[in-house]
Amino acid sequence: MNLSELAKFVDASGHCSNPRMINALAAFCGVSLAGSEDILAGRALAAEKIDGDVVSAEMLQAVQDITGCSVFVARDGGKVTGLAAFFLLRPEGMQAFDEGRFDTVNVDLDYVWRPRETPAGGYAWGFVASNDRAAGRVVKASIVIRETLLWALPGYTRAATDDGARLIYGSLGFEPVPGNPSLARYFPRQAPFEGLTLPSAQASAA
């Protein structure tokens, strides 16, 4: 991934939440907007790779139906081999995170941003893949969308695997939330790509 080739996609405000732009940039990175069957397959992959609670396919679908730009998959030979998922938040959603009362598995859909609203931040459910090729694509999509379109927004995520934690707290620039060891916070950048170190692909992550 070359930062110079991504410069043409940068939104000057760092708050671009246009679903068409997000989906187009995801496609540029080699992942596609997930349909209902893709979501089932991606969720099954996440359940296989990640220990502990994994958000349900029904919840992934509900958020996808609201935003139109939250769940993406990589495919190899027609088979889903990777998934990346995130959603933008209304101010009430960010407040719930800040106060430690946001349930990231059973999401209160009233907290989820709607298209044409101004987002207050975002939450990354994360990414998972079954091979290095798919991992490279879902990680790239996750980074590129954030660093070109949404770089001025704060956000949260959770580390669900050791590989994910190394990536989140390393090159992705998240910081641990005091008193909540599994939750990580991302602070807005002053400029696109600020302090970013591009990671190598991981087979599975958050």
Side-chain angles (χ1 to χ4, degrees):
M1 184 166 27
N2 188 319
L3 294 185
S4 62
E5 75 177 354
L6 300 177
K8 61 186 176 183
F9 297 109
V10 169
D11 177 74
S13 74
H15 292 82
C16 178
S17 56
N18 185 324
R20 284 187 290 182
M21 288 295 297
I22 292 171
N23 294 341
L25 196 50
F28 172 80
C29 296
V31 301
S32 56
L33 191 67
S36 57
E37 293 301 316
D38 299 325
I39 286 174
L40 289 171
R43 198 275 176 187
L45 177 62
E48 175 187 337
K49 295 287 185 181
I50 297 172
D51 293 330
D53 292 335
V54 176
V55 65
S56 69
E58 290 78 13
M59 182 57 69
L60 289 167
Q61 185 68 62
V63 171
Q64 184 85 317
D65 290 343
I66 290 170
T67 70
C69 59
S70 286
V71 187
F72 301 89
V73 293
R75 296 186 184 87
D76 287 302
K79 180 181 178 181
V80 171
T81 53
L83 176 140
F86 72 93
F87 54 91
L88 298 174
L89 292 160
R90 289 171 159 170
E92 297 84 358
M94 280 301 288
Q95 183 178 353
F97 263 116
D98 294 342
E99 295 175 354
R101 53 184 176 82
F102 197 110
D103 187 336
T104 58
V105 175
N106 301 297
V107 175
D108 183 338
L109 297 178
D110 285 341
Y111 291 152
V112 178
W113 159 91
R114 270 66 174 166
R116 292 179 294 279
E117 294 180 345
T118 300
Y123 178 72
W125 267 318
F127 36 82
V128 66
S130 60
N131 59 56
D132 287 345
R133 175 180 168 84
R137 283 187 269 169
V138 295
V139 171
K140 179 179 180 179
S142 300
I143 294 172
V144 168
I145 290 169
R146 188 186 75 176
E147 295 295 332
T148 60
L149 301 181
L150 302 166
W151 53 268
L153 288 178
Y156 285 93
T157 192
R158 289 189 185 276
T161 68
D162 290 342
D163 282 343
R166 283 190 287 271
L167 194 58
I168 287 165
Y169 295 123
S171 55
L172 294 188
F174 283 83
E175 298 180 13
V177 174
N180 194 334
S182 71
L183 189 64
R185 176 154 188 168
Y186 171 85
F187 291 91
R189 298 189 189 276
Q190 299 301 308
F193 313 122
E194 183 182 50
L196 179 66
T197 302
L198 297 179
S200 60
Q202 302 290 338
S204 62

